């Protein structure tokens, strides 16, 4: 199996500082398309795609969108969790630094479909380049009418603000992130209620990570059913993989779900440095499970990982 570039299709092909280059590479065309759709139709396409959150838990994205959409509060928040604090993970940073407008476009589409009124991107404090790029991109999007009041001539108003974390690992958890945004120590809350009912400032709030929001424009472009045909039945679409450690080709790779871990390491990663024998692989960063060499033929799939973790 090979790489399949959907989310990363613009990497290295556009200047991330240039909104014009983004627009010329199909940028914001899916926002234009979404603004002509019924809001329920947008959520239905995400539901058909079976998109699961790319932050680790794999929660269905459509359920969060439906949860926020049904809330009647006049003020609703859409938050992008960019607090990528897990050692060994850097794929969200690649997205922010190579294609920041894709993240904004996804957030705007989600906000339009759910009635979101204000957006925040909560970025890990060490990611200063990402923070600068996002803030620049937001200002450029405002100038072109993609953010702010009456977006692209519609009656839809939405703005996004970037907030920086202070290096607290726990703020990657959604309620700890909300507490931090409110100016409090980053500590989690007891659930329920869930953020879509009682989130930021006690208002309905939807939280997804960078890669999840970046996937939304693709679903609008190709349709939910076409997206669902990529990957596996339980894990549709593609996944960005941060590959580091003792491999020859370190970096970020985009693969369809279902690819064996061995293919990622040896076909994309080029194998082990000095062609040494592999001993173990750590999945998902420092807090992830460790698997031995004989398990490398396990496919990358939410259900397979859930089964493995339940047995360990």
């Amino acid at each position: 199996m090979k790489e399949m570039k959907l989310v990363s299709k613009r990497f290295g092909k556009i200047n991330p500082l240039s909104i014009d280059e983004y627009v010329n590479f199909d940028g914001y065309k899916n926002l234009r398309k979404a603004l002509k759709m019924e809001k329920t139709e947008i959520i239905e396409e995400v539901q058909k795609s079976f998109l699961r959150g790319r932050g680790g838990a794999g929660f269905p994205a459509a359920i969060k969108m439906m949860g926020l959409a049904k809330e009647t509060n006049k003020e609703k928040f859409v938050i992008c969790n960019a607090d990528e604090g897990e050692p060994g993970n850097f794929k969200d940073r690649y997205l922010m630094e190579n294609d920041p407008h894709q993240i904004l476009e996804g957030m705007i589409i989600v906000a339009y479909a759910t009635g979101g009124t204000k957006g925040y991107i909560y970025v890990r404090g060490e990611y200063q380049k990402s923070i600068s790029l996002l803030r620049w991109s937001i200002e450029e999007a405002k100038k072109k009418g993609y953010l702010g009041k009456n977006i692209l001539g519609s009656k839809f108003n939405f703005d996004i603000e970037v907030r920086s974390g202070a290096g607290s690992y726990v703020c990657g958890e959604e309620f700890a992130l909300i507490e931090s945004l409110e100016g409090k120590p980053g500590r989690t809350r007891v659930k329920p209620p869930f953020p879509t009912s009682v989130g930021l400032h006690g208002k309905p709030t939807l939280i997804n990570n960078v890669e999840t929001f970046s996937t939304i424009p693709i679903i609008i472009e190709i349709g939910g059913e076409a997206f669902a045909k990529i990957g596996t039945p339980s894990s549709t679409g593609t996944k960005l993989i941060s590959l580091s450690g003792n491999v020859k080709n370190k970096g970020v790779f985009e693969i369809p779900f279902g690819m064996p871990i061995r293919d990622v390491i040896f076909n994309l990663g080029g194998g082990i440095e000095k062609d040494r024998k592999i001993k173990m692989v750590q999945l998902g960063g420092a807090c992830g499970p460790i698997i031995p060499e004989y398990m490398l033929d396990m496919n990358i799939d939410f259900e397979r990982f859930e089964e493995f973790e339940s047995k360990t």
Side-chain angles (χ1 to χ4, degrees):
M1 297 179 73
K2 299 180 180 180
E3 272 196 279
M4 185 176 189
K5 296 190 176 185
L6 296 178
V7 172
S8 62
K9 64 183 179 182
R10 298 183 189 88
F11 284 14
K13 295 183 178 180
I14 64 168
N15 177 359
L17 288 168
S18 173
I19 190 172
D20 291 331
E21 290 192 21
Y22 177 74
V23 169
N24 290 336
F25 203 138
D26 296 333
Y28 289 116
K29 79 169 188 179
N30 296 307
L31 172 59
R32 292 181 183 275
K33 181 179 178 181
L35 290 174
K36 296 176 183 178
M37 297 168 65
E38 294 293 331
K39 295 180 179 181
T40 53
E41 188 182 353
I42 295 170
I43 298 174
E44 285 171 5
E45 288 301 323
V46 177
Q47 189 174 22
K48 290 176 185 177
S49 75
F50 296 105
L51 173 68
R52 297 176 66 168
R54 303 311 198 219
F59 192 80
I63 292 179
K64 287 187 178 182
M65 292 179 69
M66 287 186 282
L68 191 67
K70 74 178 183 181
E71 296 292 331
T72 57
N73 199 301
K74 291 183 180 180
E75 193 174 13
K76 301 181 188 180
F77 298 105
V78 174
I79 298 175
C80 177
N81 183 349
D83 191 59
E84 189 176 46
E86 191 71 62
N89 286 346
F90 41 87
K91 49 99 177 172
D92 285 349
R93 176 166 64 86
Y94 264 53
L95 271 168
M96 289 185 281
E97 295 181 3
N98 286 278
D99 200 356
H101 284 285
Q102 184 175 216
I103 305 161
L104 303 183
E105 186 172 8
M107 290 181 69
I108 300 165
I109 292 170
V110 169
Y112 173 71
T114 59
T117 56
K118 179 66 184 288
Y120 290 95
I121 305 177
Y122 186 95
V123 188
R124 177 180 174 180
E126 293 87 344
Y127 284 0
Q128 287 300 309
K129 182 179 178 181
S130 299
I131 292 168
S132 297
L133 272 168
L134 286 168
R135 285 178 174 159
W136 170 269
S137 300
I138 287 169
E139 291 305 312
E140 292 295 290
K142 288 180 182 178
K143 292 176 185 177
K144 298 285 188 177
Y146 299 112
L147 274 173
K149 292 185 178 180
N150 302 319
I151 291 173
L152 295 176
S154 69
K155 295 181 180 180
F156 172 51
N157 305 323
F158 185 68
D159 205 352
I160 298 174
E161 182 180 335
V162 176
R163 292 284 185 89
S164 171
S168 174
Y169 174 80
V170 73
C171 286
E173 192 277 331
E174 58 184 10
F175 266 130
L177 185 154
I178 287 172
E179 291 282 297
S180 179
L181 274 176
E182 292 178 348
K184 304 170 187 174
R187 299 182 183 128
T188 191
R189 301 176 186 173
V190 176
K191 303 175 187 179
F194 295 98
T196 48
S197 299
V198 183
L200 183 64
H201 305 307
K203 305 295 175 62
T205 304
L206 180 149
I207 304 178
N208 269 319
N209 84 326
V210 172
E211 187 180 352
T212 310
F213 281 118
S214 296
T215 306
I216 296 295
I218 295 163
I219 293 170
I220 298 302
E221 180 178 12
I222 68 175
E225 290 182 358
F227 185 88
K229 292 177 182 178
I230 303 167
T232 70
S234 63
S235 303
T236 60
T238 60
K239 183 78 185 73
L240 291 182
I241 302 292
S242 304
L243 193 58
S244 61
N246 298 318
V247 291
K248 294 178 181 177
N249 303 325
K250 302 173 181 65
V252 173
F253 302 91
E254 185 174 4
I255 63 162
F257 274 103
M259 179 181 283
I261 298 172
R262 191 182 299 276
D263 283 4
V264 174
I265 295 171
F266 289 94
N267 293 346
L268 302 180
I272 310 305
E273 292 175 346
K274 299 180 181 178
D275 296 320
R276 290 178 295 178
K277 184 178 179 181
I278 193 166
K279 294 182 178 180
M280 63 85 174
V281 173
Q282 190 160 21
L283 306 176
C287 290
I290 294 173
I291 63 171
E293 191 276 339
Y294 70 84
M295 295 189 70
L296 294 186
D297 293 312
M298 180 170 64
N299 293 339
I300 295 175
D301 182 285
F302 282 115
E303 282 195 358
R304 292 299 305 276
F305 288 162
E306 287 166 1
E307 290 172 8
F308 172 74
E309 289 180 346
S310 66
K311 294 176 182 177
T312 56

